[in-house]
Amino acid sequence: MAEPKTKYDRQLRIWGEQGQAALEKASVCLLNCGPTGSETLKNLVLGGIGSITVVDGSKVEVGDLGNNFMVDEASVGQSKAKCVCAFLQELNDAVKAKFVEEYPKALIETNPSFFSQFTLVVATQLVEDSMVKLDRICRDANVMLIFARSYGLTGLVRISVKEHTVIESKPDHFLDDLRLNNPWPDLRRFTETIDLNTSDPVVHKHTPYVIILVKLAEEWAKSHDGSLPSTRGEKKEFKELIKARMTAMDEDNYKEAMEASFKLFAPRGISSNLEQIINDPCAEVDSSSSDFWVMVAALKEFIANEGGGEAPLEGSIPDMTSSTELYINLQKIYQAKAEADFLAIEHRVRSILKKIGRDPDSILKTKIKNFCKNARKLTICRYRVIEDEFNSPVQPELQKYLTDEDYSIAVGFYILLRAADRFAANYNSFPGQFDGVMDEDISRLRTTAVSLLSDLGCNGSTVTEDLINEMCRYGAAELHAVAAFIGGIASQEVIKLITGQFIPMSGTFIFNGIDHKSQLLSL
């Protein structure tokens, strides 16, 4: 068997050993192993999830051979959960796999405690009533939950978690933490040892842009009552000031300083998002608080004291034109400041733990260090209870989606998926599922959709006739291409939730296979 580091090499570069360890510890339950569920679990098994439990009470039918690669002709008549489980186990023998031959709806009704053993539940192809019940069960047990469903040319994915905290949010674009507009004493002292007016051309063209910007910002502030450039005109003037210091056209460091000057204009202090987090009621910690909130409480104290209104320094600097000696010295100054900030926060974390009656060493040093490094990028995701969304969606948002041409198909599918569940509850079949009653089903689905919209406070709103016809044409079929896409989205969100890295999507994700569009509805 391949070594884990070789086997998972490519993904380790994305979420690291810490993320992989979290995946390998996780236990995931799949409800219904049709194509949507099988595709979701396939991605997780290949990624090295710790263990899987497949729950499905149905047998493999001939129709399953056309849309599920994880069953074959020899599987017909056998337990679907057993066949899919065996196939998935073949993909990665390091994953523990078991199956439960029972219908998810019955399990939700009769054995709610079953779900408390899992890290996360992926519920596919559930109708509204079962979704509401399962959501309540998983929230009470603090188990993460993802709903996924494909239906003809549409599908949805919805996360449901009370609270999900992210330390490593890994945003695509984020300003380097260089403190150019607020240098600490050691950085200031270091820049004072550098002469920008040196007559040595080699030294002049190898002075890092960080030093150039800090020194010229000080120079600017002296002649502008202590203020840094703020207006568009002043920023342009400051760039001209940098340009005027160039002594040759090939001085890349000065060009970098001009390009990076926007980093100097960033506001001091913490972002509004971080301010919201440190002032969250959960930051008032007690013995039941999570490690995350204990560290947030320490961060809040640090910002008010040692940090002087700033978060802990990250401690890394980007590549830049520089002599090796200057770059290494600059790097050491940033690393030393980051280490000092970390030690101050670590001390506060230990003090808080002691104060709330927990073991002062219960939070690992590596965890605190990682928290400090990512403090500016912390994120908290809280999701509405499914029942609340179903019974009382956010009215202004729903009205906006219904009247906005860009969202009309996505919200139309959302309404029709819910209307299809009501239809099934009333008529014991999904619209268009049986031949010969298509016209009657179209009429019934239209009436059901109008009734649902009325219940949601959208009297007079309708869904287009074309979309109603499409929905009936689908006959609740799971097309493999759509199921694979929805499964891919669902498994991606599972990985985000389990690793605690990247920001999971908020709202209900709707795939529109007619126009090849994906949209999030915040209801």
Side-chain angles (χ1 to χ4, degrees), residues 285-290 356-358:
V285 294
D286 57 32
S287 58
S288 63
S289 297
S290 68
I356 60 175
R358 282 180 57 186

Side-chain angles (χ1 to χ4, degrees), residues 337-374:
K337 167 69 171 156
E339 182 67 16
D341 287 355
F342 154 68
L343 290 171
I345 286 193
E346 185 191 20
H347 177 69
R348 291 189 174 277
V349 167
R350 308 286 177 224
S351 299
I352 290 168
L353 286 167
K354 193 174 180 181
K355 195 164 81 179
I356 60 175
R358 282 180 57 186
D359 176 2
D361 297 317
S362 59
I363 301 179
L364 294 174
K365 189 176 269 205
T366 50
K367 194 171 187 178
I368 301 170
K369 192 159 248 184
N370 191 40
F371 178 87
C372 291
K373 191 180 172 188
N374 293 284

Side-chain angles (χ1 to χ4, degrees), residues 205-221:
K205 67 159 63 171
H206 288 93
T207 302
Y209 79 73
V210 166
I211 294 170
I212 296 169
L213 288 174
V214 169
K215 286 187 79 72
L216 292 183
E218 276 185 15
E219 198 177 295
W220 174 281

Side-chain angles (χ1 to χ4, degrees), residues 24 69 205 231 256 492:
E24 288 170 15
F69 285 131
K205 67 159 63 171
T231 65
E256 286 169 6
Q492 169 185 282

Side-chain angles (χ1 to χ4, degrees), residues 28-32 53-57 81 98-118 121-123 126 129-131 133-135 137-138:
V28 171
C29 174
L30 172 70
L31 301 186
N32 289 317
T53 300
V54 181
V55 179
D56 196 320
K98 60 180 180 178
F99 66 93
V100 175
E101 203 175 341
E102 194 170 337
Y103 287 100
K105 185 183 176 183
L107 197 61
I108 292 165
E109 299 278 356
T110 60
N111 190 8
S113 62
F114 171 80
F115 299 99
S116 61
Q117 63 186 294
F118 302 106
V121 174
V122 179
L126 288 189
D129 183 50
S130 295
M131 286 172 76
K133 286 173 183 166
L134 182 62
D135 185 40
I137 291 164
C138 288

Side-chain angles (χ1 to χ4, degrees), residues 167-237:
I167 294 174
E168 295 182 64
S169 60
K170 301 186 178 180
D172 290 336
H173 306 287
F174 212 79
L175 209 57
D176 295 317
D177 191 12
L178 298 174
R179 305 285 162 90
L180 301 175
N181 56 6
N182 193 11
W184 62 98
D186 286 351
L187 178 59
R188 202 182 289 276
R189 276 194 292 273
F190 179 65
T191 58
E192 284 166 4
T193 65
I194 311 296
D195 181 11
L196 293 186
N197 299 316
T198 178
S199 57
D200 185 333
V202 176
V203 173
H204 197 268
K205 67 159 63 171
H206 288 93
T207 302
Y209 79 73
V210 166
I211 294 170
I212 296 169
L213 288 174
V214 169
K215 286 187 79 72
L216 292 183
E218 276 185 15
E219 198 177 295
W220 174 281
K222 278 176 190 168
S223 59
H224 290 80
D225 299 323
S227 300
L228 290 174
S230 57
T231 65
R232 191 174 175 181
E234 285 178 341
K235 290 172 184 177
K236 193 177 177 185
E237 194 183 331

Side-chain angles (χ1 to χ4, degrees), residues 262-423:
F262 71 94
K263 296 175 184 178
L264 184 73
F265 313 140
R268 291 181 181 184
I270 61 172
S271 67
S272 56
N273 175 57
L274 186 53
E275 192 161 355
Q276 216 174 333
I277 291 171
I278 63 172
N279 291 321
D280 191 285
C282 292
E284 301 295 324
V285 294
D286 57 32
S287 58
S288 63
S289 297
S290 68
D291 289 355
F292 176 86
W293 286 111
V294 170
M295 292 189 287
V296 167
L299 174 64
K300 185 176 183 176
E301 289 181 5
F302 172 87
I303 291 168
N305 295 283
E306 301 94 337
E310 298 272 11
L313 189 76
E314 285 177 28
S316 57
I317 57 173
D319 287 339
M320 60 189 81
T321 302
S322 169
S323 66
T324 305
E325 186 188 355
L326 279 178
Y327 187 84
I328 289 170
N329 287 339
L330 194 60
Q331 199 172 43
K332 282 177 181 172
I333 288 164
Y334 274 85
Q335 286 170 349
K337 167 69 171 156
E339 182 67 16
D341 287 355
F342 154 68
L343 290 171
I345 286 193
E346 185 191 20
H347 177 69
R348 291 189 174 277
V349 167
R350 308 286 177 224
S351 299
I352 290 168
L353 286 167
K354 193 174 180 181
K355 195 164 81 179
I356 60 175
R358 282 180 57 186
D359 176 2
D361 297 317
S362 59
I363 301 179
L364 294 174
K365 189 176 269 205
T366 50
K367 194 171 187 178
I368 301 170
K369 192 159 248 184
N370 191 40
F371 178 87
C372 291
K373 191 180 172 188
N374 293 284
R376 296 188 309 138
K377 305 163 193 166
L378 302 178
T379 305
I380 298 164
C381 308
R382 291 180 175 126
Y383 297 86
R384 281 192 87 189
V385 175
I386 282 280
E387 190 172 16
D388 291 349
E389 180 188 311
F390 285 167
N391 293 339
S392 51
V394 181
Q395 269 301 319
E397 290 295 313
L398 182 56
Q399 292 287 2
K400 183 187 87 178
Y401 295 141
L402 286 165
T403 53
D404 186 335
E405 203 175 304
D406 283 347
Y407 280 91
S408 59
I409 293 182
V411 77
F413 273 137
Y414 174 82
I415 295 296
L416 288 172
L417 281 166
R418 294 190 55 195
D421 286 347
R422 281 195 179 188
F423 183 106

